[in-house]
Amino acid sequence: MPRHLQETILRHLFPGDGDEHALVILAGVADFEGHRRLLAREVIVARDHVDSVPGRYGYKMMKAEFIQPLIRRCRTERLAYISVHNHGGEGSVAFSQADLSSHERGYPALLDLAGGMPVGAAVYARSAIAGDIWMPDGTRLPLDETRVLGINIERLHDSPRSVHAADSPFHARQLLMFGRAGQAKLAKARVGVIGAGGVGSLLVEYLARLGVGNIVVVDDDRISLSNLSRVVGATRWDACYPFSLDSMPKVVREFAERHATKKVKLAKRTARRANPNCNVQCIDGDFATPSCAGRFLGCDFLFLAADSMRARLLFNAIVQQYYIPGIQIGTKIKSRADAKSLDDAFSVERWVLPSCNCLWCSGMISPHLLAVEAKSAEERKDQDYGTLATNPSVISMNAVGASMAVNDFMMSFLGLHDEAAAVTPRRVKHLSRTTIHETYPADPECPECSATNGARLGMGDAGELPTLLPS
C-alpha cells in the first residue's frame, strides 16, 4: 500500500483511546507466477457508533448497511474486500477466536456477493499485521508480508521474522554498512531495468555488484560504434568492427549492423562477470509490447532508462497499477544553434511511487510525442515531423543519474533513508554545479494515479496496461 494510506489507517485505528476501531480496504488483485498480491487502493473508515457498533457475538461489528455497498463496489470494480480492525500490543498480532468464528459465519456469504473476488480480514497492532484472506474457491490464505511504499519500503508481518543472513567475501565492505540481513534482502530482490544503453548498462553493473540476485532487462537494440564510449563492457568486437572503420567496405558495415551484439546479451555478460550469482533475465524485444511488459509485473523495483514517451507511459502505468516503485533516469545536453557552447547539461533522477510523482500529472509524458512515435518513419517524413533527434550522451553524466538512482533504491529497499526525507525528483545541473529538487502537484482526478472511478491506481490485473497492440 502507499504510505499515505497506511498513515490514514494508523490514525483511525490508534487515536490514543485504547479502544478497537474498524475500516475497510478496497484492493486490486495481481497474480504473477503463482504469487498473489493485494494492492490497497482505497480506505473506507467505519465511523464509531454509526458504522462500527457493539457486536452480537464479538466485541464490535460493522453494520450490514455499511458493508453491503462496499461489497457491491468490489464486485463491479473487480476489487478485493478487506475488513480491518485493531488489537493492542506492538510487534506481533493474531486474530482472536471470536474473530475467526466471525469470519467463518460471514465470509462464505460475502464471497457469493463479491462475484469471484477475494474477501478477507486484517488485524493491526502497532508495527504488525495479520491477515485471513478467503479466495473465491474457498481457500484461506494468511498474509505473508505487507509492504508500505514510501521513501523507505517498510515490511510488516504478524510477528518478528528471522532473516536468513547472507555472508559473502565479495561484499565484505558493504556488510559493514547494512549487515548480512540487508545483503540477504538484496540477494532475494527482483529488479527490472528498462533499456540497456548508456544509462541502463551502468544500472545493471551497479545492481549486480551491489548483490541484487535477480535482474530483468529489456532492449531490442544492438551495439554500434557510437555506443562504445558509454555502454559498459562494450568492445569493438561487440560492434563487429574489429578493424579500422575507414577500411571497411559498405557491405561489411551493413553486415556488422545486422550481427552486432544485442545490448541485453552484453548486459547479462557484464552482470555475470560482476556477480556470478546474479540471475539475469534478458528480454530481446520492445518493452511496450504486452509479452515484454508482462515480464516486469513480478519485480520489486523498476528503473526506466529508455527515453521514448511510450516507455515513460507504460513504466508510469505499471508503477501506479501494480504498485511497483520505480525511478526514471535521464541526461539532457542542450547545445546552442552554433554548436559552439552549451545552454544546459543535467542529469535527472525522478522517483515514481503509487499516487506520488506521477509522470502524467507532472507533464513528463507528451501526448504529441506519443502520437509522433506511433507513426512510421515514412509517415513522420510525409507529415513534416522529421525524425526524433538523437540526444548527446556522455558516460560521466549518465553515471551521475545512474548512481543516484541505484543508491536511492538500496537505501529505500533496506529501509535506511531518513523518514523525514522528501521523495522528490532531483536534477543535477552540471554547468552550474547545482542540484534542484523538483515538486509536481498531484491531480486529484488524474486517470493514472488517483483513486477516482476508472483510474488506474491499484487496479492490478483488472486494468489494461497501455501496451502496443499486437501486430
Side-chain angles (χ1 to χ4, degrees):
M1 69 178 72
R3 165 64 61 184
H4 73 90
L5 286 187
Q6 173 74 344
E7 291 172 349
T8 297
I9 290 169
L10 294 179
R11 281 196 301 269
H12 180 68
L13 295 183
F14 301 103
D17 59 3
D19 202 0
E20 181 178 303
H21 304 277
L23 54 87
V24 171
I25 296 174
L26 306 185
V29 180
D31 290 309
F32 186 85
E33 295 182 351
H35 297 278
R36 172 158 289 185
R37 284 177 289 154
L38 302 178
L39 313 167
R41 173 178 161 90
E42 191 174 350
V43 170
I44 313 296
V45 168
R47 295 167 296 174
D48 294 323
H49 313 298
V50 178
D51 307 312
S52 177
V53 297
R56 288 191 290 270
Y57 302 100
Y59 177 53
K60 285 190 176 181
M61 59 177 255
M62 287 188 289
K63 295 174 69 173
E65 295 87 341
F66 176 72
I67 295 172
Q68 287 172 355
L70 298 179
I71 282 287
R72 286 196 293 269
R73 274 192 61 191
C74 289
R75 182 187 187 113
T76 301
E77 299 176 25
R78 312 312 295 160
L79 300 173
Y81 170 97
I82 311 296
S83 171
V84 182
H85 70 284
N86 62 293
H87 287 175
E90 185 167 350
S92 63
V93 70
F95 290 103
S96 67
Q97 187 55 55
D99 292 333
L100 295 173
S101 297
S102 173
H103 302 172
E104 290 161 5
R105 285 192 303 270
Y107 285 177
L110 285 183
L111 278 175
D112 289 339
L113 293 172
M117 300 306 296
V119 303
V123 59
Y124 268 74
R126 292 189 180 275
S127 304
I129 305 174
D132 178 22
I133 311 302
W134 291 50
M135 296 297 111
D137 63 1
T139 305
R140 294 173 69 172
L141 299 174
L143 279 180
D144 178 63
E145 180 175 86
T146 299
R147 291 192 184 184
V148 182
L149 306 178
I151 186 68
N152 288 317
I153 298 176
E154 182 184 7
R155 296 166 177 81
L156 299 171
H157 306 93
D158 58 356
S159 60
R161 298 288 178 92
S162 59
V163 179
H164 173 69
D167 195 1
S168 167
F170 300 111
H171 299 108
R173 299 289 287 272
Q174 291 178 191
L175 299 180
L176 298 176
M177 176 181 173
F178 45 71
R180 291 185 298 169
Q183 195 66 56
K185 286 182 180 180
L186 292 174
K188 292 177 63 178
R190 180 186 180 118
V191 177
V193 178
I194 302 156
V199 174
S201 65
L202 287 161
L203 292 170
V204 169
E205 176 156 29
Y206 292 166
L207 292 168
R209 291 190 183 277
L210 194 59
V212 170
N214 303 277
I215 300 174
V216 185
V217 59
V218 63
D219 203 304
D220 61 356
D221 201 6
R222 294 180 184 272
I223 293 295
S224 66
L225 274 180
S226 67
N227 299 148
L228 300 186
S229 65
R230 66 186 189 280
V231 175
V232 174
T235 68
R236 292 178 69 91
W237 287 98
D238 290 311
C240 289
Y241 279 107
F243 308 111
S244 170
L245 179 62
D246 295 335
S247 65
M248 301 283 282
K250 181 180 179 182
V251 65
V252 177
R253 295 182 191 181
E254 292 174 349
F255 175 88
E257 291 172 359
R258 293 194 303 269
H259 294 86
T261 302
K262 284 286 189 176
K263 288 182 178 178
V264 289
K265 182 178 179 181
L266 176 59
K268 182 173 184 177
R269 186 178 78 199
T270 300
R272 296 283 292 169
R273 285 177 175 176
N275 177 6
N277 296 319
C278 184
N279 173 37
V280 183
Q281 297 182 36
C282 295
I283 305 172
D284 176 16
D286 184 347
F287 170 61
T289 60
S291 59
C292 291
R295 301 275 292 275
F296 288 85
L297 301 185
C299 289
D300 299 302
F301 206 94
L302 296 177
F303 291 98
L304 176 62
D307 55 6
S308 72
M309 284 297 138
R310 174 62 65 173
R312 287 189 187 185
L313 178 70
L314 183 53
F315 161 81
N316 188 68
I318 291 175
V319 171
Q320 305 302 334
Q321 186 169 324
Y322 284 92
Y323 287 6
I324 305 172
I327 297 177
Q328 181 222 347
I329 310 100
T331 297
K332 188 75 171 179
I333 301 171
K334 298 179 181 178
S335 300
R336 293 184 181 173
D338 58 11
K340 293 181 180 179
S341 58
L342 296 177
D343 273 336
D344 203 358
F346 61 84
S347 302
V348 66
E349 173 218 24
R350 294 189 182 98
W351 273 84
V352 185
L353 294 172
S355 68
C356 180
N357 294 338
C358 169
L359 295 181
W360 188 266
C361 283
S362 64
M364 294 298 164
I365 299 171
S366 165
H368 170 69
L369 290 181
L370 278 172
V372 172
E373 288 178 358
K375 298 178 183 295
S376 67
E378 292 78 11
E379 288 173 327
R380 288 198 295 269
K381 183 177 180 180
D382 292 341
Q383 298 177 32
D384 199 31
Y385 285 113
T387 58
L388 298 177
T390 300
N391 291 321
S393 182
V394 179
I395 188 171
S396 56
M397 294 184 186
N398 292 341
V400 171
S403 61
M404 288 194 305
V406 172
N407 193 64
D408 267 346
F409 155 75
M410 176 192 71
M411 299 289 282
S412 176
F413 201 72
L414 301 181
L416 300 176
H417 272 129
D418 184 340
E419 285 289 350
V423 189
T424 54
R426 289 187 288 178
R427 184 185 298 257
V428 177
K429 297 177 73 67
H430 300 294
L431 300 184
S432 61
R433 301 186 72 246
T434 56
T435 300
I436 298 172
H437 291 265
E438 302 173 344
T439 57
Y440 304 131
D443 179 354
E445 297 184 356
C446 176
E448 299 292 314
C449 71
S450 74
T452 56
N453 188 31
R456 186 179 303 282
L457 185 72
M459 290 303 296
D461 295 341
E464 293 290 333
L465 288 171
T467 54
L468 295 173
L469 295 175
S471 57

